[in-house]
Amino acid sequence: MSIIKNNFEKMSITKIKKAKNTKKLTVITAYDALFAKLFSEIADMILVGDSLNMSFAGKNDTLSASLEQMIYHTNAVCNGAKDAFVITDMPFGTYINKDQALENAIKVYAQTNAAAIKIEGGEDRAFIVEHLTKNSIAVMGHIGLMPQYVRSEGGYKVRGKTDEDIEQLIKDAKAIEKAGAFSLVIEGVMSDAAKKISQEVNIPTIGIGAGKDTDGQVLVWSDMLGFFEEFKPKFVKHYLNGAQLVKESVEQYRSEVQNGTFPSKNEEY
């Protein structure tokens, strides 16, 4: 089966904003050049997520990801997907205040070809988003369940279960929009709540575990393709049983090495 690429359109901030209520945006994570190249003419945006600390580095959460680590992987992704709209997650501890946030965001811009950065937080971080956007840094926001808050929140907790929490999430979304963010990730939020949030802002919302009524979706590639075996979040759909396919292929390779059928004449000089 061939992949039709003739509808691929290189994205920009303007095009992303115009997609609101007109086109569902597809976002996927990538951490290296190889997979970024595979995704580059299919996904609207590629996110170099700090989720790499878990799926790539084997850590229990995202918190120990460093700025240097994110810059390294962003460069790899940009090298593999030269025409993609690439967003870099700002890791935990790199935007404690607005001056530190700007200094670190400038490092990302100066040392990579990332088109934008992403930071977690609502009303409490709006002043940081505003400072960044006023200094020519494109920012994607992130509200709801925020992985960088996992220890302070006591775990991963679904948001939007009460009227009070929905009201706060709407305030968070509006504050981030007002601060100048071009789009907003809504993670781990009840579907009805995510729909209300999306209706209350004029920038595209990108859902992950937030139902179908956001303006787009994002998934971690290793979750979506079935490579991450530790657990399967409820919101993830496996489009491929990647881990099993790889294991079977490596088993076949081992078998052919042991029985002498690899390399065959076809693989010899």
Side-chain angles (χ1 to χ4, degrees):
M1 182 177 68
S2 63
I3 297 174
I4 299 173
K5 297 183 179 180
N6 59 9
N7 63 346
F8 172 75
E9 180 182 18
K10 185 176 180 179
M11 299 304 286
S12 65
I13 297 291
T14 300
K15 290 177 182 177
I16 291 167
K17 286 182 175 180
K18 285 183 177 179
K20 179 78 175 181
N21 298 322
T22 62
K23 172 188 175 181
K24 291 280 190 176
L25 295 165
T26 304
V27 187
I28 190 169
T29 68
Y31 315 127
D32 58 47
L34 178 63
F35 276 92
K37 186 174 182 179
L38 296 176
F39 304 150
S40 63
E41 292 191 5
I42 303 171
D44 294 304
M45 291 175 269
I46 295 178
L47 171 65
V48 187
D50 58 1
S51 52
L52 65 84
N53 210 43
M54 299 172 71
S55 59
F56 195 89
K59 302 293 187 179
N60 290 328
D61 55 38
T62 68
L63 301 188
S64 60
S66 68
L67 186 63
E68 291 72 22
Q69 184 182 5
M70 298 306 301
I71 288 173
Y72 173 88
H73 286 278
T74 299
N75 275 319
V77 168
C78 290
N79 287 338
K82 298 185 186 302
D83 289 331
F85 189 97
V86 176
I87 305 159
T88 301
D89 253 337
M90 294 299 289
F92 179 74
T94 61
Y95 49 98
I96 298 299
N97 57 60
K98 65 180 185 179
D99 293 328
Q100 181 203 41
L102 181 59
E103 179 183 353
N104 287 325
I106 288 172
K107 283 183 182 178
V108 172
Y109 266 29
Q111 297 179 30
T112 77
N113 287 322
I117 64 165
K118 180 173 77 65
I119 69 172
E120 297 181 11
E123 281 188 310
D124 60 327
R125 295 277 171 79
F127 74 100
I128 293 176
V129 174
E130 182 177 18
H131 188 59
L132 292 172
T133 57
K134 284 185 174 179
N135 282 279
S136 304
I137 304 293
V139 178
M140 170 182 273
H142 184 148
I143 65 169
L145 187 161
M146 295 176 288
Q148 292 180 13
Y149 287 57
V150 61
R151 296 185 194 175
S152 63
E153 295 289 336
Y156 299 102
K157 298 179 180 179
V158 175
R159 299 284 305 276
K161 292 183 176 181
T162 66
D163 290 341
E164 292 77 14
D165 197 31
I166 294 171
E167 183 179 348
Q168 181 58 55
L169 288 168
I170 291 173
K171 288 179 180 178
D172 288 337
K174 287 183 174 181
I176 295 301
E177 178 186 21
K178 185 178 179 181
F182 69 91
S183 62
L184 179 67
V185 170
I186 303 176
E187 180 171 0
V189 172
M190 299 295 289
S191 299
D192 288 347
K195 181 177 181 180
K196 291 177 182 178
I197 297 165
S198 298
Q199 292 171 339
E200 290 287 338
V201 293
N202 295 312
I203 56 175
T205 58
I206 309 298
I208 177 167
K212 66 178 183 179
D213 292 312
T214 53
D215 299 299
Q217 298 291 330
V218 59
L219 282 177
V220 172
W221 80 262
S222 51
D223 288 341
M224 186 196 76
L225 297 179
F227 283 91
F228 188 70
E229 296 186 291
E230 297 302 315
F231 61 90
K232 177 182 174 294
K234 177 180 174 60
F235 57 81
V236 169
K237 178 177 179 179
H238 284 166
Y239 289 86
L240 182 75
N241 191 350
Q244 185 61 33
L245 290 172
V246 168
K247 289 177 181 179
E248 290 173 356
S249 298
V250 176
E251 287 278 3
Q252 183 179 352
Y253 165 60
R254 182 183 68 174
S255 175
E256 291 185 5
V257 169
Q258 291 178 344
N259 65 28
T261 57
F262 176 82
S264 68
K265 289 293 183 182
N266 291 331
E267 289 86 39
E268 292 181 1
Y269 291 105

